Amino acid sequence: MTELCATLRGRVGDRVVEFDAAEVRGVLLAPTVTEFPEGAPSLRGLFAWRERVVPLVSLAPERAGRVAVVLEARGELVAVELEAVLGVEARAAASRVALDEVRALVAVARQGAVEVL
């Protein structure tokens, strides 16, 4: 039996991405960020949100996002830049982008080791 979960769907270029709705803490218009010059292009920068510093990651650094989805897992926040939010719906759990994958992108971006997408 396929496990279902509520997912938030978003768009980056031609790509549709999905996040577990239980991990979503907010959806904002693209925030103003403080750039992080040592990071890879996928790390847009850092911004303050609800008295916390949040990294903003882009899944397509060559494109400008219009919204940011703030995600939380194990007390850590990360925001993912999207061009649009498409909605929330029930999906198979295996089809979503795992927050751990996004957190790995942040770690790599902070090191400046690799350009993501």
Side-chain angles (χ1 to χ4, degrees):
M1 184 166 143
T2 302
E3 180 183 342
L4 295 178
C5 66
T7 58
L8 180 139
R9 298 179 69 226
R11 182 177 51 77
V12 178
D14 294 334
R15 183 176 174 196
V16 173
V17 294
E18 298 177 344
F19 302 98
D20 186 337
E23 296 170 340
V24 174
R25 296 296 171 259
V27 177
L28 342 162
L29 292 176
T32 301
V33 297
T34 299
E35 292 183 8
F36 195 75
E38 296 83 23
S42 59
L43 180 61
R44 290 282 195 217
L46 306 171
F47 68 98
W49 185 70
R50 296 185 180 172
E51 300 182 9
R52 298 198 41 200
V53 175
V54 180
L56 178 63
V57 175
S58 175
L59 299 177
E62 71 284 354
R63 303 181 74 92
R66 294 188 179 104
V67 296
V69 177
V70 180
L71 306 165
E72 180 179 19
R74 296 184 290 270
E76 293 182 39
L77 294 177
V78 64
V80 178
E81 186 177 54
L82 302 174
E83 290 180 50
V85 171
L86 304 175
V88 177
E89 59 187 57
R91 298 296 253 183
S95 69
R96 64 185 174 85
V97 174
L99 181 55
D100 287 337
E101 292 175 44
V102 174
R103 290 172 64 216
L105 289 176
V106 172
V108 169
R110 283 184 177 157
Q111 294 171 4
V114 200
E115 182 176 330
V116 180
L117 297 178

